[in-house]
Structure formats: C-alpha cells, structure tokens
Amino acid sequence: MPHPLDASAVRTWCALALDALGRAREEIDAINVYPVPDGDTGTNLYLTAESAARAVDAVFDGHATTGPASRPALPDAVRAMAHGALIGARGNSGTILAQLLRGMAEVLAKGGEPRPAPCPEPRPAPSRTGRPAAEAADDAELLRRALRRAVESAYEGVARPVEGTILTVAAAAADAAAAAQGDAAAVARAADEAARSALAMTPGQLDALGRAGVVDAGGLGLVEVIGALARALSGESLPRGTRAWTRPVPVPPQPAAPAQGPVPCPASAPGGASPAFEVIYLLDADDSAVPRLRTRLDALGDSLVVVGGDGLWNVHVHVDDAGAAVEAGIEAGRPHRIRITHFAGAAAGASAEAPADDPGRPREPARRAVVAVVPGEGLAGLCADAGATVVAARPGEPPASGELVDAIRRANAREVVLLPNDPELRHTAAAAAEQARAAGVRVALIPTRAAVQGIAALAVHEPARRFDEDVVAMTSAAGATRYAELAVAERQAWTMAGVCQAGDVLGLIDGDVAVIGSDLAATAATVLDRMLAAGGEMVTLVLGADVPDAVADRLERHVRGGHLAVDTVVYRGGQQAPPLLIGIE
C-alpha cells in the first residue's frame, strides 16, 4: 500500500537507506576508484546516512516524551534528517549526499507546513491509497520539486562538477521524476529506475571508471538511497538485493551533460598529481564568508565541496597543505570536528618508513602490533606505554577509516590487532581492516565496545604467542569485561530506567540506561553495586578531564566497604565525555 509523504515515511526511508548502504558497503568500497582510490566511499555514505537516521529518530523520541500518540510533522523530520547528514557527512560522496538531502528538505519543509483550511468544497474522490486524490497529487508534485532542488543545491556545493559521478545519477533521477505521472510512490519509482540506468552509463562518462571497469561508487550509493525512498513510499518492506557492478554495461557515447540538468559539467576532473590529504571540518560562519572560502580552497586543491547554510557548513577538500585548508576555515569562521586523512598513508598500507639514522633503507616491519582507538590524552598515553599505536577519538568526531589505515601503516607490523573500543566504529574499523589486508597486512579486528575492554585486551597481549592464540586471549579478556559509563542527559527523554530530565546523571551498563541520578559519585556507586552483584575481581575507573580525584577516592572506599575481595584501579583518562568509564573484570 503506497504511503503518504509524511514524517513516518521519512523515518522509514532513512532506516531502509541505512540498511541498504550497510548491505552494499563492502561492494561500494571495493569499486571506489574516483576521485581517490581509498576504498571508503561505501563506509562514508553509510556513516552519513546513519547520522541522518539518528537525528530523525531523536525527533520522534522527543515527541514521544509529550505523549504516546505524539508524532513530528514532515518539516520537523526532514530538517532533522538534513542537519544530521550535514554534521555527520564523511568523504566526498557523503558530503554531496548531505547536500542532496538538504536540498530536498528545503522544499519538503515548506511544502509540509500546515496550510489554512480551505473553504468547504465537494469532497474529492479518494486515490488508491484511500487518501483524497488531490493530496496524493500534492505529494507527487512536492517530491518532484524536492528532487530537482536537491540536484541544484548539490551542483552549487561542488566547486568543479564532473560527469559520471553521483551528481550525474542525481540529475537523471530528478529528470525522470519531473516527467513521471501518478502519486509520490510512482515518482520515486521513476527516479529509482532512471538512477540505475544512469549509474550503468557512468563508465562511459569518466575515464577512471572505464579503465577500472566499474561504475561510480558514490553513484551506486545514491542508487541505494533512492531505491530506499521508492520502497518507503510504495510500502514495500523487503530490501532490494545489491548487484555486483564490476563490469560496465556497453553504452553508446553520452552527451557531456544531462538533457535537463541544472548545470553543465566538465567531462573530467582537472589533471595533475593527487593531493596528499583529505580535509573535512564543520564550520560556523556567516553565509557571506563562504564564497571567499570556496575561492581560497579551490586554489589549494581539488574535490572541493562546501555544503550547508544558515551559519553551519560542512567543508571537504583534497589538498597538499592541510594546515592552509584549516587556516582558510579559521579566517571564515570557527572550524570544528576537523578530520585530516593522509592519502599516501592509506595507499601505502603497511609499507615501511625509513629510520632517521638511515633514510635510504626501509625500516624492517615488526612482527606484531596493536592499534587502539581511545578517548582522552591519559588513556592514549597509557596505551602507548603498553606498546599500542593510538588513534585519538574526539567527542562527536570518530576517526575515519583512512585514519585507522594510516595508524596500521605507522604500526609497521606484519600482524596487527585492531581495537575500535566503540560499537559505532564497527563498519569503519571493518573497512580499514579490509584495506590493510589488501596491502598484505594480517589484521584481526576485536570488536571491543568500550575503552575499558580495550585496556583489558591490551593487558593480556603477548607478541611472543602465535597470532591466533594472542587474538583469542585478547578477545576473551575483552569479552569478560563488563562496561559502564556515566553521562549527563542533554534533554528530557524516555529511557530503560524511566524518564530523565536535562542535567540528570545517567548510568549506562553495556550501553543501556540502568540508573538515573543527580550526583555523579552516588549514581556511579549504584552502577557498581548492580554490576558487582553478578561477581567480579577488579574494577577499573577511568576519570574524565573535569572529574575530581575525590570522586575516585569515594568510589574506591565504596568498593572496599561492600566488596572486600575486589581490587580497584584508577586511571586519569582525560576524556571530555563521558565523565566516567567503568570496567568490571
């Protein structure tokens, strides 16, 4: 049964798109050859869509606190989707996808606002969805305009558009939607079919794709997103199976630009050597400062995409001088969530670096190394002292797969154990491991979900053991460590432990809220009692940057007083959030 274009449809679309990109992620990563063959386009698109889906879910959760029947309106959902995609956008294609969603949101938010009730008229005949035919027609026209605006805004955000990419696929979908008849579901199906046809044409439009014998990776990701939209509006629930786009479909010569596309594009990207760094950051800046920023960054590198608006922008560029790209952002406003990925490091895989005393001779790879993602300088120093190569995890700024690959390269070992220490990094870490394996490094990914599990795994790491035995021992130690964290609620919300208010202290055990309190130490003590009721030999406390030592002293006394046989170890982690991490071994 076709579904109306409302907030629930947007939520379903986001969920289906996330599922589709998750299924296709490895395939998309594998065919990623343009603009840089760094094998992370599928992962970047997935993470961008994940951020959008979470933002939409948060809007629904917020409304649920006002009553079980409360639902957000279409403008609320699409604005959240666009904002979530913007702040979570990764990579070139992910940034363009965020702008496509933003363009759609501009139209859908205005079209979905309540209108004054019209004068009474004869009741229109219902459509096959059971809704008045006029409403179904309005939804269809709204979707046509939204897809057109999405393409226009994406072309506006890309400094040097190139045919045969995600932009081409988006333009073809919008053209087909504009000509489609019927309801919104029919419009979305027409866009989906045109997107898939346009994707098959991309190898004939871009030399890099033709030489590799693949379609555009970003275009394939967009096909999955548009297909999810068609399924959400048509009421279909089954996911569409992904296809192996390993060989291009023979096609006749294509025109240089789509027949109805908004902006003509050059047939190929500018020539020259590939830049060394990918720089991405969010930027708080007045809209008037962005044109000059675009001009500066365009002179520094290529693959420039600046998207957003209303004071918040996402900036993506490939450059040789990463510092200059960040300085340009500082001149324009306030850059934050800065991510810099070294392409040469990712491409080199496990190639060795020359030692300082003999720059002409490559350094001999070590037998084994551990790469760990950790929050805070204190934990970073602790893990580094234990011999691990550390990747810093900044609040709200998880590392990209390229950063993990670069860390594996820096570890310079034939065997590497990767500890992501965060459930949200599962896809990113998996993509990095695959890239490193392709470069000849033997990588074992241990799915640690918290820093305290990573510490436990690192504590039993023994390079002299056989690799498989070492991985089993580390995995066992991590799995035997239950984890908890203390966090501060940002808003009112329903939780597993009841309704929390902004400012409440939340005690999360294994990722679920188990305790709601008002005092950090008291809430932590309750969490410890609940966890130790199931047994335990050692408590690990990792203090955040702003947590006084007195909190640790109080908790140590609490453990000694109620659990005589349990030892307590305290580390000054230095992380900004969460304020306290707990591990029970």
Side-chain angles (χ1 to χ4, degrees):
M1 176 70 70
H3 198 290
L5 183 54
D6 58 11
S8 294
V10 172
R11 190 183 198 186
T12 301
W13 174 28
C14 289
L16 290 174
L18 186 62
D19 179 71
L21 288 171
R23 294 169 182 269
R25 180 187 61 77
E26 293 182 5
E27 179 184 357
I28 297 172
D29 283 344
I31 64 171
N32 174 201
V33 299
Y34 182 86
V36 176
D38 51 353
D40 63 358
T41 292
T43 300
N44 288 337
L45 286 168
Y46 178 89
L47 294 172
T48 304
E50 184 179 46
S51 183
R54 282 184 175 175
V56 174
D57 285 342
V59 168
F60 274 81
D61 292 344
H63 273 261
T65 62
T66 64
S70 177
R71 294 290 185 272
L74 177 61
D76 300 325
V78 295
R79 286 171 181 146
M81 173 185 70
H83 181 73
L86 179 67
I87 63 174
R90 297 296 194 89
N92 189 67
S93 293
T95 308
I96 294 173
L97 174 61
Q99 188 68 353
L100 288 166
L101 296 180
R102 180 180 175 84
M104 292 187 69
E106 289 177 10
V107 174
L108 295 177
K110 293 179 180 178
E113 290 174 349
R115 293 187 287 261
C119 296
E121 294 181 356
R123 185 178 180 87
S127 69
R128 60 192 178 92
T129 66
R131 302 167 62 223
E135 291 184 15
D138 287 347
D139 281 357
E141 179 57 26
L142 192 62
L143 183 57
R144 293 186 193 99
R145 291 192 289 113
L147 289 170
R148 172 56 61 205
R149 178 55 193 152
V151 174
E152 291 172 350
S153 61
Y155 273 84
E156 291 166 3
V158 178
R160 299 178 184 272
V162 174
E163 283 308 307
T165 64
I166 186 174
L167 293 172
T168 307
V169 175
D175 289 344
Q181 300 299 314
D183 58 13
V187 171
R189 282 194 295 267
D192 179 31
E193 292 171 2
R196 286 185 281 131
S197 296
L199 178 67
M201 302 293 189
T202 56
Q205 297 170 314
L206 193 55
D207 289 343
L209 303 178
R211 288 193 301 269
V214 297
V215 297
D216 180 63
L220 176 53
L222 183 60
V223 162
E224 298 296 346
V225 173
I226 296 175
L229 174 62
R231 296 198 305 282
L233 293 177
S234 67
E236 299 173 7
S237 59
L238 293 177
R240 181 175 62 193
T242 58
R243 299 151 305 281
W245 296 93
T246 53
R247 296 183 181 178
V249 177
V251 294
Q254 300 297 307
Q260 300 180 33
V263 183
C265 306
S268 61
S274 297
F277 298 97
E278 177 186 56
V279 179
I280 305 175
Y281 51 80
L282 291 178
L283 179 69
D284 296 330
D286 293 335
D287 295 4
S288 60
V290 173
R292 184 170 183 272
L293 172 66
R294 282 195 174 105
T295 301
R296 281 205 59 187
L297 293 176
D298 191 34
L300 288 174
D302 59 28
S303 297
L304 173 61
V305 185
V306 181
V307 301
D310 302 321
L312 178 63
W313 304 83
N314 191 305
V315 179
H316 170 281
V317 67
H318 296 172
V319 293
D320 284 321
D321 189 345
V326 176
E327 289 172 4
I330 294 173
E331 288 187 8
R334 185 182 73 88
H336 51 107
R337 293 196 186 182
I338 301 169
R339 295 192 295 271
I340 299 175
T341 302
H342 186 213
F343 287 131
S351 60
E353 299 175 350
D357 58 345
D358 187 0
R361 181 172 58 85
R363 180 162 54 92
E364 182 67 23
R367 177 185 175 186
R368 190 175 307 155
V370 176
V371 172
V373 181
V374 293
E377 295 181 358
L379 281 182
L382 175 70
C383 293
D385 290 343
T389 298
V390 172
V391 179
R394 299 165 291 277
E397 192 179 336
S401 61
E403 293 178 73
L404 299 185
V405 172
D406 188 47
I408 293 172
R409 179 195 63 82
R410 288 188 285 108
N412 192 36
R414 293 184 290 270
E415 301 169 342
V416 172
V417 180
L418 180 57
L419 304 174
N421 297 332
D422 186 340
E424 304 302 329
L425 289 178
R426 60 192 185 281
H427 292 292
T428 303
E434 290 169 7
Q435 288 179 247
R437 291 178 189 125
V441 183
R442 189 181 184 189
V443 180
L445 171 59
I446 298 178
T448 47
R449 300 171 60 86
V452 287
Q453 289 186 325
I455 292 172
L458 193 57
V460 300
H461 168 55
E462 178 51 66
R465 281 193 295 237
R466 290 176 56 247
F467 184 63
D468 292 342
E469 293 176 352
D470 198 29
V471 171
V472 168
M474 295 177 72
T475 302
S476 178
T481 302
R482 286 165 291 148
Y483 65 95
E485 65 180 53
L486 279 294
V488 178
E490 297 180 356
R491 57 182 174 81
Q492 183 188 61
W494 288 96
T495 74
M496 297 289 290
V499 179
C500 70
Q501 305 296 328
D504 283 348
V505 178
L506 307 180
L508 292 86
I509 299 176
D510 292 337
D512 293 324
V513 177
V515 181
I516 300 175
S518 58
D519 176 74
L520 179 67
T523 307
T526 303
V527 168
L528 283 168
D529 288 340
R530 291 199 181 185
M531 297 180 74
L532 289 170
E537 298 177 356
M538 177 178 289
V539 170
T540 300
L541 303 176
V542 181
L543 305 183
D546 300 324
V547 177
D549 291 334
V551 170
D553 295 339
R554 177 177 170 181
L555 294 177
E556 281 190 275
R557 291 195 300 271
H558 180 81
V559 172
R560 281 199 306 270
H563 309 276
L564 298 178
V566 179
D567 295 326
T568 303
V569 178
V570 178
Y571 298 113
R572 174 59 70 175
Q575 72 276 5
Q576 293 299 318
L580 180 63
L581 298 169
I582 299 174
I584 305 288
E585 297 180 50

